[in-house]
Amino acid sequence: MPAMLRHAIAAALLAAAGSAVAFELTSPDIDPGEPIAHRHVFNGFGCKGENVSPALAWSAPPDGTKSFALLVHDPDAPTGGAGWWHWVVYNVPARAPGLPRGAGAAEGAGLPAGAVQHRTDFGAPGWGGPCPPVGDPPHRYVFTLHALKVDKLDIPEGATASLVGFMVNANSIGKASLTARYGRSQ
């Protein structure tokens, strides 16, 4: 193959790769790296927020995506290294473009049909907003959306959030993350 043709092919491949859109997770309610708004903060354990889950949107999932799972984790929680699970949702249909604000209510009425909320470290399913200990530096809240290669995860009754995370990771073909912060001085 002539060198000129090889260079043209290589340039075309690089241009195509450079124009590919990346899998992305965004929120009209959360600015990456910024403090989470009061309406999303937990209402309990000394926190007085509204405990409303933020709206989330995603775009450009990988080819072959059959469902999504959303895991929201605070790696800074003082739990001896395990962190704290704030929201665990799986079996979100591949056609869903996001989750509306408030979809994390315990009854799950705002979730797409078929989606399942799993028990969090608060002890119940649904969104449990930030509520770090008073005086801690602001904690990170990592929202990670996984594109899954399966239509449905079969999670056993009573499974831990960590087991759900294991099953999600075993079936993930791509992920997108968004990190926000929250701290409280009193």
Side-chain angles (χ1 to χ4, degrees), residues 38-52 84 86 122 127-134 141 182 184 186:
H38 177 75
R39 72 174 166 240
H40 306 299
V41 173
F42 191 68
N43 187 11
F45 297 152
C47 290
K48 296 180 180 4
E50 297 172 34
N51 204 44
V52 175
W84 191 270
H86 285 266
F122 288 105
W127 167 256
C131 186
V134 172
Y141 297 88
Y182 185 78
R184 60 189 183 122
Q186 48 182 326

Side-chain angles (χ1 to χ4, degrees), residues 96-108:
L99 298 174
R101 181 181 303 129
E107 74 282 350

